[in-house]
Amino acid sequence: MDTLSYKTISLNKETVQKEWVVVDATDQVVGRLASKVAKLLRGKYKPGFTPHVDCGDNVIIINADKVVFTGKKETDKVYTRYTGYPGGQRFSTPEELRKLPYGTERILRHAVKGMLPKGILGRHILKNLYIYPGTEHKHEAQKPKAIDINQYK
């Protein structure tokens, strides 16, 4: 019996096969979309997943303006940020954020960031996420493949 065939294969950044995928966010629930996108970014759907390596895909989210919240979260959920000055704590709801430029991008990026590992690896993985409000994106040269996010669990 050849015992070398049972060796665990661990990927490194040179052996990782990264792909470009496009996800359509039309009528998707924010949290459920974010959890699936976080798994794609992390590489958990790949058979050679390695926890300490960025082995996930580059994800492009289009139609980000068309994501939805369930229940009353659109008006009741509160995002907190801090300006860096005394008394500079600011609060906003998703309804208020959508009116700002790049507001839906902030909402989705915040949701995905919370589902990634904390630290250097998580910050590096988050750079592989590209969010666009409409159907147009500037990554056609990478030949991204469109996937149906609903087929993933």
Side-chain angles (χ1 to χ4, degrees):
M1 184 166 93
D2 185 16
T3 57
L4 292 178
S5 65
Y6 297 108
K7 224 175 186 181
T8 301
I9 297 171
S10 188
L11 297 176
N12 58 29
K13 63 181 180 180
E14 287 83 25
T15 59
V16 169
Q17 298 291 324
K18 294 177 83 64
E19 297 177 355
W20 286 79
V21 295
V22 175
V23 174
D24 189 5
T26 304
D27 297 328
Q28 296 287 328
V29 178
V30 173
R32 292 176 187 157
L33 174 69
S35 66
K36 293 173 187 177
V37 168
K39 282 185 182 180
L40 281 171
L41 286 169
R42 188 89 199 274
K44 288 210 163 188
Y45 291 117
K46 294 185 174 184
F49 169 68
T50 308
H52 63 279
V53 177
D54 175 16
C55 54
D57 296 331
N58 295 296
V59 179
I60 303 164
I61 298 178
I62 58 173
N63 293 322
D65 285 344
K66 297 179 183 172
V67 293
V68 295
F69 283 95
T70 57
K72 295 182 180 178
K73 291 188 197 88
E74 188 76 36
T75 55
D76 292 354
K77 184 175 175 65
V78 176
Y79 291 103
T80 306
R81 65 185 177 84
Y82 183 63
T83 63
Y85 290 94
Q89 196 172 24
R90 303 288 184 256
F91 305 98
S92 55
T93 64
E95 186 178 44
E96 295 167 356
L97 279 177
R98 284 184 193 266
K99 296 174 185 172
L100 299 176
Y102 304 107
T104 51
E105 179 181 345
R106 288 182 189 173
I107 291 170
L108 279 172
R109 194 170 295 278
H110 182 272
V112 172
K113 181 182 178 183
M115 298 178 189
L116 291 175
K118 311 308 182 261
I120 296 169
L121 180 63
R123 289 190 294 272
H124 183 71
I125 290 173
L126 193 62
K127 292 178 184 174
N128 296 331
L129 177 64
Y130 303 91
I131 303 172
Y132 296 98
T135 57
E136 297 298 319
H137 60 85
K138 60 181 182 180
H139 303 284
E140 291 299 328
Q142 283 76 25
K143 298 184 181 79
K145 65 176 186 176
I147 61 168
D148 180 22
I149 198 70
N150 295 325
Q151 72 182 6
Y152 293 98
K153 288 188 177 188

